[in-house]
Short mmCIF file of all heavy atoms in Angstrom, two decimals:
data_model
loop_
_atom_site.label_atom_id
_atom_site.label_comp_id
_atom_site.label_asym_id
_atom_site.label_seq_id
_atom_site.Cartn_x
_atom_site.Cartn_y
_atom_site.Cartn_z
N ILE A 3 -4.18 -4.28 -3.97
CA ILE A 3 -3.41 -4.65 -2.80
C ILE A 3 -2.03 -5.26 -3.22
O ILE A 3 -1.01 -4.91 -2.68
CB ILE A 3 -4.18 -5.60 -1.84
CG1 ILE A 3 -5.39 -4.81 -1.21
CG2 ILE A 3 -3.22 -6.10 -0.83
CD1 ILE A 3 -6.24 -5.69 -0.54
N ALA A 4 -2.06 -6.17 -4.23
CA ALA A 4 -0.83 -6.86 -4.63
C ALA A 4 0.09 -5.76 -5.29
O ALA A 4 1.37 -5.86 -5.06
CB ALA A 4 -1.17 -7.84 -5.62
N LYS A 5 -0.49 -4.83 -5.99
CA LYS A 5 0.40 -3.82 -6.67
C LYS A 5 1.02 -2.92 -5.64
O LYS A 5 2.21 -2.57 -5.69
CB LYS A 5 -0.46 -2.95 -7.54
CG LYS A 5 0.29 -1.94 -8.37
CD LYS A 5 1.13 -2.67 -9.45
CE LYS A 5 1.78 -1.67 -10.38
NZ LYS A 5 2.62 -2.30 -11.47
N THR A 6 0.33 -2.60 -4.51
CA THR A 6 0.81 -1.75 -3.54
C THR A 6 1.88 -2.48 -2.71
O THR A 6 2.98 -1.95 -2.39
CB THR A 6 -0.27 -1.29 -2.55
OG1 THR A 6 -1.37 -0.76 -3.23
CG2 THR A 6 0.24 -0.33 -1.44
N MET A 7 1.71 -3.82 -2.42
CA MET A 7 2.69 -4.55 -1.71
C MET A 7 3.98 -4.62 -2.58
O MET A 7 5.13 -4.61 -1.95
CB MET A 7 2.12 -5.94 -1.49
CG MET A 7 0.96 -6.03 -0.48
SD MET A 7 1.54 -5.58 1.21
CE MET A 7 2.61 -7.03 1.58
N GLU A 8 3.84 -4.72 -3.80
CA GLU A 8 5.01 -4.80 -4.71
C GLU A 8 5.79 -3.48 -4.65
O GLU A 8 7.03 -3.43 -4.59
CB GLU A 8 4.54 -5.05 -6.18
CG GLU A 8 5.60 -5.04 -7.14
CD GLU A 8 4.99 -5.26 -8.59
OE1 GLU A 8 4.45 -6.25 -8.83
OE2 GLU A 8 5.13 -4.31 -9.42
N MET A 9 5.02 -2.36 -4.52
CA MET A 9 5.66 -1.01 -4.51
C MET A 9 6.40 -0.83 -3.16
O MET A 9 7.46 -0.18 -3.14
CB MET A 9 4.59 0.02 -4.68
CG MET A 9 3.94 0.07 -6.07
SD MET A 9 2.51 1.14 -6.26
CE MET A 9 3.29 2.69 -5.94
N ILE A 10 5.93 -1.39 -2.11
CA ILE A 10 6.53 -1.24 -0.68
C ILE A 10 8.00 -1.69 -0.84
O ILE A 10 8.89 -1.08 -0.31
CB ILE A 10 5.84 -1.94 0.30
CG1 ILE A 10 4.45 -1.29 0.57
CG2 ILE A 10 6.61 -2.04 1.62
CD1 ILE A 10 3.55 -2.06 1.45
N PHE A 11 8.24 -2.84 -1.52
CA PHE A 11 9.52 -3.41 -1.52
C PHE A 11 10.38 -2.97 -2.72
O PHE A 11 11.60 -2.88 -2.60
CB PHE A 11 9.45 -4.92 -1.57
CG PHE A 11 8.78 -5.58 -0.29
CD1 PHE A 11 7.43 -5.85 -0.23
CD2 PHE A 11 9.58 -5.60 0.84
CE1 PHE A 11 6.94 -6.35 0.91
CE2 PHE A 11 8.99 -6.08 2.08
CZ PHE A 11 7.69 -6.44 2.07
N GLN A 12 9.72 -2.70 -3.84
CA GLN A 12 10.53 -2.31 -5.02
C GLN A 12 10.83 -0.80 -5.00
O GLN A 12 11.84 -0.46 -5.62
CB GLN A 12 9.77 -2.64 -6.35
CG GLN A 12 9.65 -4.12 -6.67
CD GLN A 12 9.11 -4.33 -8.06
OE1 GLN A 12 8.62 -3.50 -8.67
NE2 GLN A 12 9.33 -5.61 -8.53
N TYR A 13 10.08 -0.02 -4.37
CA TYR A 13 10.22 1.40 -4.34
C TYR A 13 10.29 1.89 -2.87
O TYR A 13 9.35 2.67 -2.45
CB TYR A 13 9.16 2.12 -5.20
CG TYR A 13 9.01 1.56 -6.53
CD1 TYR A 13 7.84 0.98 -6.86
CD2 TYR A 13 10.07 1.58 -7.52
CE1 TYR A 13 7.73 0.36 -8.16
CE2 TYR A 13 9.84 1.03 -8.77
CZ TYR A 13 8.66 0.43 -9.06
OH TYR A 13 8.57 -0.11 -10.26
N PRO A 14 11.24 1.56 -2.15
CA PRO A 14 11.36 2.00 -0.73
C PRO A 14 11.40 3.47 -0.53
O PRO A 14 11.14 3.99 0.58
CB PRO A 14 12.57 1.32 -0.21
CG PRO A 14 13.44 1.06 -1.41
CD PRO A 14 12.45 0.79 -2.52
N HIS A 15 11.74 4.26 -1.60
CA HIS A 15 11.84 5.64 -1.45
C HIS A 15 10.38 6.36 -1.38
O HIS A 15 10.28 7.54 -1.00
CB HIS A 15 12.45 6.31 -2.68
CG HIS A 15 11.73 6.15 -3.92
ND1 HIS A 15 11.76 4.84 -4.56
CD2 HIS A 15 11.03 7.00 -4.73
CE1 HIS A 15 11.02 5.04 -5.75
NE2 HIS A 15 10.60 6.20 -5.81
N LEU A 16 9.33 5.62 -1.51
CA LEU A 16 8.03 6.13 -1.45
C LEU A 16 7.69 6.18 0.08
O LEU A 16 7.51 5.11 0.76
CB LEU A 16 6.99 5.28 -2.11
CG LEU A 16 7.12 5.27 -3.68
CD1 LEU A 16 6.21 4.17 -4.30
CD2 LEU A 16 6.86 6.60 -4.29
N GLN A 17 7.44 7.42 0.56
CA GLN A 17 7.16 7.55 1.96
C GLN A 17 5.72 7.76 2.34
O GLN A 17 5.25 7.46 3.43
CB GLN A 17 7.98 8.71 2.56
CG GLN A 17 9.51 8.67 2.48
CD GLN A 17 10.07 9.57 1.36
OE1 GLN A 17 9.31 9.92 0.47
NE2 GLN A 17 11.29 9.76 1.51
N THR A 18 4.98 8.28 1.38
CA THR A 18 3.53 8.64 1.65
C THR A 18 2.67 7.90 0.57
O THR A 18 2.94 8.01 -0.61
CB THR A 18 3.31 10.12 1.53
OG1 THR A 18 4.14 10.75 2.52
CG2 THR A 18 1.86 10.50 1.84
N TYR A 19 1.61 7.29 1.05
CA TYR A 19 0.62 6.56 0.18
C TYR A 19 -0.66 7.21 0.35
O TYR A 19 -1.21 7.29 1.51
CB TYR A 19 0.57 5.14 0.55
CG TYR A 19 1.71 4.29 0.08
CD1 TYR A 19 2.95 4.30 0.74
CD2 TYR A 19 1.62 3.51 -1.08
CE1 TYR A 19 4.07 3.57 0.21
CE2 TYR A 19 2.70 2.71 -1.51
CZ TYR A 19 3.92 2.81 -0.82
OH TYR A 19 4.90 2.08 -1.29
N ILE A 20 -1.24 7.74 -0.74
CA ILE A 20 -2.57 8.26 -0.73
C ILE A 20 -3.49 7.21 -1.35
O ILE A 20 -3.29 6.88 -2.59
CB ILE A 20 -2.71 9.60 -1.54
CG1 ILE A 20 -1.74 10.63 -0.91
CG2 ILE A 20 -4.06 10.18 -1.56
CD1 ILE A 20 -1.70 11.97 -1.71
N LEU A 21 -4.40 6.68 -0.51
CA LEU A 21 -5.30 5.58 -0.95
C LEU A 21 -6.82 6.20 -1.13
O LEU A 21 -7.22 6.75 -0.19
CB LEU A 21 -5.34 4.47 0.08
CG LEU A 21 -3.96 3.72 0.27
CD1 LEU A 21 -4.08 2.74 1.43
CD2 LEU A 21 -3.54 3.07 -1.01
N LEU A 22 -7.26 6.01 -2.33
CA LEU A 22 -8.58 6.47 -2.56
C LEU A 22 -9.56 5.22 -2.34
O LEU A 22 -9.75 4.55 -3.44
CB LEU A 22 -8.73 7.09 -3.93
CG LEU A 22 -8.21 8.49 -4.07
CD1 LEU A 22 -6.65 8.53 -4.15
CD2 LEU A 22 -8.84 9.27 -5.22
N THR A 23 -10.08 5.02 -1.30
CA THR A 23 -11.03 3.98 -1.04
C THR A 23 -11.60 4.12 0.40
O THR A 23 -11.07 4.88 1.20
CB THR A 23 -10.24 2.63 -1.06
OG1 THR A 23 -11.23 1.54 -0.97
CG2 THR A 23 -9.18 2.46 -0.01
N GLY A 24 -12.63 3.38 0.66
CA GLY A 24 -13.19 3.30 1.95
C GLY A 24 -13.50 1.93 2.34
O GLY A 24 -14.17 1.66 3.39
N ASP A 25 -12.99 1.01 1.53
CA ASP A 25 -13.35 -0.41 1.65
C ASP A 25 -12.57 -1.05 2.74
O ASP A 25 -11.32 -0.97 2.83
CB ASP A 25 -12.99 -1.06 0.26
CG ASP A 25 -13.63 -2.48 0.19
OD1 ASP A 25 -13.85 -3.16 1.13
OD2 ASP A 25 -14.01 -2.82 -1.01
N ILE A 26 -13.26 -1.81 3.64
CA ILE A 26 -12.62 -2.52 4.74
C ILE A 26 -11.61 -3.57 4.24
O ILE A 26 -10.68 -3.95 4.97
CB ILE A 26 -13.80 -3.18 5.66
CG1 ILE A 26 -13.14 -3.85 6.93
CG2 ILE A 26 -14.50 -4.28 4.78
CD1 ILE A 26 -12.48 -2.86 7.80
N ASP A 27 -11.76 -4.07 3.07
CA ASP A 27 -10.86 -5.08 2.47
C ASP A 27 -9.43 -4.56 2.47
O ASP A 27 -8.41 -5.30 2.42
CB ASP A 27 -11.28 -5.47 1.15
CG ASP A 27 -12.61 -6.26 1.08
OD1 ASP A 27 -12.94 -6.77 2.17
OD2 ASP A 27 -13.16 -6.39 0.03
N PHE A 28 -9.18 -3.28 2.54
CA PHE A 28 -7.88 -2.66 2.50
C PHE A 28 -7.23 -2.52 3.87
O PHE A 28 -6.12 -2.08 3.88
CB PHE A 28 -7.91 -1.26 1.70
CG PHE A 28 -8.14 -1.39 0.22
CD1 PHE A 28 -9.38 -1.45 -0.26
CD2 PHE A 28 -7.10 -1.52 -0.58
CE1 PHE A 28 -9.57 -1.57 -1.69
CE2 PHE A 28 -7.20 -1.64 -1.95
CZ PHE A 28 -8.52 -1.69 -2.48
N ARG A 29 -7.91 -2.87 4.86
CA ARG A 29 -7.35 -2.73 6.20
C ARG A 29 -6.01 -3.52 6.38
O ARG A 29 -5.08 -2.89 6.95
CB ARG A 29 -8.34 -3.23 7.29
CG ARG A 29 -7.92 -3.09 8.75
CD ARG A 29 -8.97 -3.37 9.69
NE ARG A 29 -8.45 -3.32 11.08
CZ ARG A 29 -9.14 -3.39 12.17
NH1 ARG A 29 -10.47 -3.54 12.05
NH2 ARG A 29 -8.61 -3.36 13.33
N PRO A 30 -5.94 -4.74 6.01
CA PRO A 30 -4.65 -5.44 6.16
C PRO A 30 -3.48 -4.70 5.41
O PRO A 30 -2.33 -4.70 5.86
CB PRO A 30 -4.87 -6.90 5.55
CG PRO A 30 -6.34 -6.99 5.66
CD PRO A 30 -7.01 -5.64 5.44
N LEU A 31 -3.88 -4.04 4.27
CA LEU A 31 -2.79 -3.27 3.51
C LEU A 31 -2.38 -2.11 4.37
O LEU A 31 -1.15 -1.87 4.40
CB LEU A 31 -3.33 -2.85 2.12
CG LEU A 31 -2.45 -1.99 1.30
CD1 LEU A 31 -1.18 -2.70 0.96
CD2 LEU A 31 -3.20 -1.47 0.07
N LEU A 32 -3.22 -1.45 4.98
CA LEU A 32 -2.91 -0.29 5.74
C LEU A 32 -2.06 -0.66 7.02
O LEU A 32 -1.09 0.00 7.34
CB LEU A 32 -4.15 0.46 6.28
CG LEU A 32 -4.58 1.67 5.35
CD1 LEU A 32 -5.00 1.16 3.97
CD2 LEU A 32 -5.74 2.46 5.95
N GLN A 33 -2.35 -1.86 7.52
CA GLN A 33 -1.63 -2.33 8.59
C GLN A 33 -0.14 -2.59 8.16
O GLN A 33 0.87 -2.29 8.89
CB GLN A 33 -2.23 -3.63 9.22
CG GLN A 33 -3.50 -3.37 9.84
CD GLN A 33 -4.20 -4.65 10.33
OE1 GLN A 33 -4.27 -5.55 9.53
NE2 GLN A 33 -4.61 -4.74 11.58
N THR A 34 -0.03 -3.16 7.03
CA THR A 34 1.32 -3.47 6.50
C THR A 34 2.10 -2.24 6.16
O THR A 34 3.34 -2.05 6.50
CB THR A 34 1.22 -4.29 5.13
OG1 THR A 34 0.48 -5.53 5.41
CG2 THR A 34 2.58 -4.54 4.56
N LEU A 35 1.43 -1.22 5.57
CA LEU A 35 2.06 0.10 5.32
C LEU A 35 2.58 0.74 6.65
O LEU A 35 3.63 1.29 6.68
CB LEU A 35 1.04 1.06 4.64
CG LEU A 35 0.86 0.75 3.12
CD1 LEU A 35 -0.38 1.54 2.71
CD2 LEU A 35 1.91 0.98 2.31
#
């Protein structure tokens, strides 16, 4: 999650995120994306 948050701000050119997980813990991350 921390790595992904870092990428959102450091690499704004990334438009699409493919997440390989089904874990509910990643829900706040998806909300941020």
Side-chain angles (χ1 to χ4, degrees):
I3 290 170
K5 188 70 174 180
T6 307
M7 292 293 293
E8 178 183 299
M9 293 170 67
I10 292 174
F11 296 100
Q12 288 193 346
Y13 310 114
H15 64 284
L16 295 173
Q17 299 108 337
T18 302
Y19 284 76
I20 300 177
L21 298 173
L22 281 79
T23 186
D25 197 327
I26 187 60
D27 291 343
F28 287 89
R29 180 173 175 172
L31 175 63
L32 267 63
Q33 291 175 313
T34 300
L35 288 168

